[in-house]
Amino acid sequence: MRRIIHAALIVLACACGAGAQPMRIDWLERQVTPPPVLSNMQSVPEQLGLDGARLSLGDIATTGKFTGQDYALRETVVPPAAPFLPAAQKLLAEGARVLVVKAPAQDLLALADLPEVRDALIFNTSAPETDLRGANCRANVLHSLPSYAMRADALAQFIQTKRWTRLALIQGAHPEDQAFAEAMRAALTKFGLTLAGEKTWLFDANMRRAAAAEVPLFTQDLPDHDLLLVADEPGDFARYIAYNTWTPRLLAGSEGAKPLGWAGVVEQNGAAQLQNRFREMTAREMQAADYAAWAAIAAIGDAVTRAQSTDPASMRAYLLSDKARIAGFLGRPLSFRDWDGQMRQPIPIVTERAVVALAPFEGFLHASNELDTLGPDRPETKCTAFGE
Amino acid sequence: MIRALLLSTLLASPALADEIWVTNEMDDTVSVIDVATLEVKATYPTGERPRGVTFNRDFTRLYICASDSDAVQVMDPATGEILHDLPSGEDPEQFVLSPDDRLLYIANEDDAITTVVDTQSRKVIAQIDVGVEPEGMGISPDGRIQVTTSETTNMAHWIDTETHEIVANTLVDSRPRHAEFSPDGTQLWVSAEIGGTVSVFDVATRAEIAKISFAIKGVQPEKLQPVGMRFSPDASKIFVALGPSNHMAVVDAKTFEVDRYILVGRRVWHMTLSPDESKLFTTNGVSGDVTVIDMATLEPIKTIKVGRFPWGAAARAMP
């Protein structure tokens, strides 16, 4: 089911209007082969992320029609086996200066450390590692995707507002599972909650046949809990946990109530309009990676319009300033933290059918912006690259 | 014949109180509030996702933007019956009626178009490309300029109603939701929901002459999101709905200072004045109700439960 495009390099240019100097925005994607999961019925959309970028380019190009600013999206997709950096360097040599990137953390960092991108602006739309906004942050990288820490903080606030105090955790064996589990542990501590017990899922059986038999036994020896947290970021086993646990319990994390940057069920604050436009264009639901790409290009468009410059340094300065108030259909203005380059954003807690709640929650106070209760705040940041 | 006339007079006389009509976005209905009793006296079904709503000048027709039905519906307010649909373009969200009572300027939210419909011939007479997600619709009192604001393009588009062409585009703050001309036609007021501001433009020069911000003690600044606006009858004040802050602001139209804030229901969107100008009715989307504000004291005096997600409001004066 998982198709990989083996084309060497796909470069598409969008001819958007007939302005004098279209501003060039690069979509740079490193394809990865997703790990095998226990169900093949829901595949990852081939143009996950890119679809959001394309929709957003259309939006800012419409604005540009009235301001006299043209935009062109250059799309480069590097297949899993092909070398990433040479592809990136070719674009930079051609004059790429604003890059919207979908790539794993190590590729992103290798790109950000190239000497020729020192004066460029990179948007990370797919790597959730909290570390990329911490000790491994880079001054030329802004992040429109929420970090693991932001999602975990949103969930912990939600759990706290529900007064669910007895918690257990199951985590998978993938590095992403460990990273999200670690973020959830840290978030529980941050908001005064504790974990009563935890287990790691190591089974390799085919759960479509054996879930009913395996999961009750697996969950039997967990200490009593109100809510079972699950860290299964690739979407492997957690779908078989619900309704099969030893005691009937709610799930949250990677399954059940999920803290996500975006989902197809987000509807309020005008989101229905964005969802309609996305569905009309792609015939699928908009996901968090699509939204991150959409938001990155919306931020670029806003910066160009408001700062009246296509220069990466001016755009970056505007986005990190308190002047930035980007409309992102989540009910609060989006902006970027000037200590780690992370986009401030509300985090919806969603099920398959509805938004259960929208973090941050009332009562989690902050001196300047409640959105900064999600993820590392200025006093605790480990990022030093932004201290200019 | 005489008997019939007498009977109809008798039947009509107790129903002479003015009315406020409210669209319920998630219920596909309009609620009719009796201004005398401040109670809902009728609820009528509409098309899907009704939002913008307005009466014609003699109150014999109610126009309703049925967004998800892709139609503007025409209702007989005497019976609550839908008489016919007008062609509206896709996803009509909000509209404004020309002062001569004839043309509807409709914002087609999904298509980035302003559609002009002749309510008599029932034909589309123009479609104008505007920015992404048009919403705010204002028209100058002399009917010469129509302004469409686009929420995602963040602009006010000034449209000449003779030529139906855009004559100017003015950048405003993030997510402009509403455009309102001052009654004398010299100023245009535009609210920016995510920007958190209201900009005031001089219509002659299209220059921004003021930008109004809001602050309420104990309310996060991000929640002060201006949406609907309405001038007081004497044009000395403008009322601004502040969305999820659950407050209305009362702004002095001369000094551009906020005089006071009024606590209303949750996520206040739009409003209308009673025909006798004694009361202001606000639609509170999340709490599903309407707050009644006494215009003499500027105090909220009653909350009226309506349908789910009340959006627009229009007043019907009875003869």
Side-chain angles (χ1 to χ4, degrees), chain A residues 58-60 62-67 267-274 276-277 280 294 302 305-306 308 325-329 331-334 362 365-371, chain B residues 26 49 51 90-91 93 109-112 129-133 151-155 157 166 169 171-175 193-196 220-225 267 269 286 309:
Chain A
D59 290 353
I60 66 168
T62 304
T63 305
K65 222 170 52 184
F66 299 107
T67 56
E267 181 178 11
Q268 291 295 305
N269 302 301
Q273 272 71 252
L274 182 64
N276 285 345
R277 285 188 279 128
E280 201 164 294
W294 180 90
D302 206 55
T305 308
R306 306 277 175 200
Q308 300 205 328
R325 284 177 78 102
I326 302 151
F329 303 97
R332 290 172 190 249
L334 312 176
E362 253 173 62
L365 301 176
H366 192 275
S368 54
N369 191 329
E370 282 174 2
L371 292 177
Chain B
M26 296 297 182
R49 204 176 177 205
R51 290 192 279 177
E90 271 186 56
D91 194 26
E93 174 166 13
E109 191 168 38
D110 278 0
D111 276 358
D129 284 333
V130 291
V132 181
E133 293 176 29
E151 289 174 321
T152 294
T153 297
N154 303 323
M155 276 185 174
H157 309 283
I166 294 178
N169 301 290
L171 199 62
V172 292
D173 283 348
S174 281
R175 210 166 164 75
E193 184 179 30
I194 291 294
Q220 282 271 317
E222 278 68 30
K223 289 194 173 170
L224 298 161
Q225 301 181 356
R267 191 123 196 228
W269 267 321
V286 171
F309 285 79

Side-chain angles (χ1 to χ4, degrees), chain A residues 137-153:
Chain A
C137 72
R138 297 292 187 271
N140 54 357
V141 182
L142 304 181
H143 311 267
S144 56
L145 188 83
S147 62
Y148 285 131
M150 288 169 75
R151 289 172 50 213
D153 284 352

Side-chain angles (χ1 to χ4, degrees), chain B residues 1-295:
Chain B
M1 183 68 192
I2 292 167
R3 221 179 122 201
L5 268 176
L6 276 173
L7 193 63
S8 68
T9 315
L10 281 173
L11 283 175
S13 47
L16 279 181
D18 295 335
E19 294 163 351
I20 304 296
W21 291 56
V22 174
T23 49
N24 300 306
E25 184 182 356
M26 296 297 182
D27 261 358
D28 302 345
T29 56
V30 282
S31 302
V32 185
I33 296 168
D34 184 311
V35 170
T37 63
L38 298 184
E39 279 171 9
V40 174
K41 61 191 252 188
T43 304
Y44 298 118
T46 66
E48 290 175 47
R49 204 176 177 205
R51 290 192 279 177
V53 63
T54 192
F55 279 99
N56 67 348
R57 301 296 161 209
D58 67 3
F59 305 102
T60 54
R61 292 290 179 269
L62 180 73
Y63 300 112
I64 304 161
C65 287
S67 301
D68 285 358
S69 299
D70 295 330
V72 166
Q73 298 186 308
V74 183
M75 184 181 269
D76 178 356
T79 62
E81 190 188 336
I82 303 281
L83 300 173
H84 59 90
D85 288 356
L86 290 171
S88 67
E90 271 186 56
D91 194 26
E93 174 166 13
Q94 176 67 299
F95 51 20
V96 67
L97 187 61
S98 62
D100 68 3
D101 212 20
R102 177 139 190 191
L103 302 180
L104 273 177
Y105 291 80
I106 304 166
N108 297 123
E109 191 168 38
D110 278 0
D111 276 358
I113 284 171
T114 294
T115 296
V116 190
V117 172
D118 185 327
T119 57
Q120 287 173 24
S121 70
R122 301 183 195 173
K123 289 202 161 60
V124 172
I125 61 167
Q127 288 202 308
I128 302 139
D129 284 333
V130 291
V132 181
E133 293 176 29
E135 166 147 353
M137 302 299 277
I139 194 157
S140 60
D142 63 8
R144 287 199 180 152
I145 310 161
Q146 195 276 321
V147 167
T148 301
T149 66
S150 46
E151 289 174 321
T152 294
T153 297
N154 303 323
M155 276 185 174
H157 309 283
W158 305 67
I159 295 168
D160 182 327
T161 56
E162 293 266 311
T163 60
H164 289 129
E165 280 176 12
I166 294 178
V167 290
N169 301 290
T170 312
L171 199 62
V172 292
D173 283 348
S174 281
R175 210 166 164 75
R177 288 291 301 264
H178 191 85
E180 189 83 10
F181 280 86
S182 57
D184 66 3
T186 60
Q187 291 173 355
L188 173 73
W189 292 54
V190 177
S191 62
E193 184 179 30
I194 291 294
T197 57
V198 170
S199 290
V200 185
F201 295 94
D202 175 54
V203 170
T205 60
R206 298 188 202 108
E208 188 179 83
I209 50 176
K211 189 180 275 191
I212 299 153
S213 300
F214 303 91
I216 303 177
K217 210 174 172 187
V219 178
Q220 282 271 317
E222 278 68 30
K223 289 194 173 170
L224 298 161
Q225 301 181 356
V227 190
M229 293 184 288
R230 175 106 195 180
F231 275 90
S232 63
D234 64 1
S236 67
K237 294 185 269 287
I238 189 162
F239 295 89
V240 183
L242 293 176
S245 74
N246 312 331
H247 280 79
M248 300 285 296
V250 186
V251 178
D252 186 309
K254 284 235 156 43
T255 63
F256 307 119
E257 299 286 331
V258 181
D259 282 344
R260 64 191 289 165
Y261 295 97
I262 306 167
L263 182 64
V264 292
R266 294 182 63 202
R267 191 123 196 228
V268 55
W269 267 321
H270 287 285
M271 72 203 80
T272 194
L273 268 173
S274 59
D276 70 358
E277 300 172 349
S278 69
K279 294 179 187 74
L280 185 70
F281 294 76
T282 71
T283 55
N284 311 317
V286 171
S287 49
D289 51 29
V290 164
T291 301
V292 187
I293 295 165
D294 182 280
M295 286 290 285

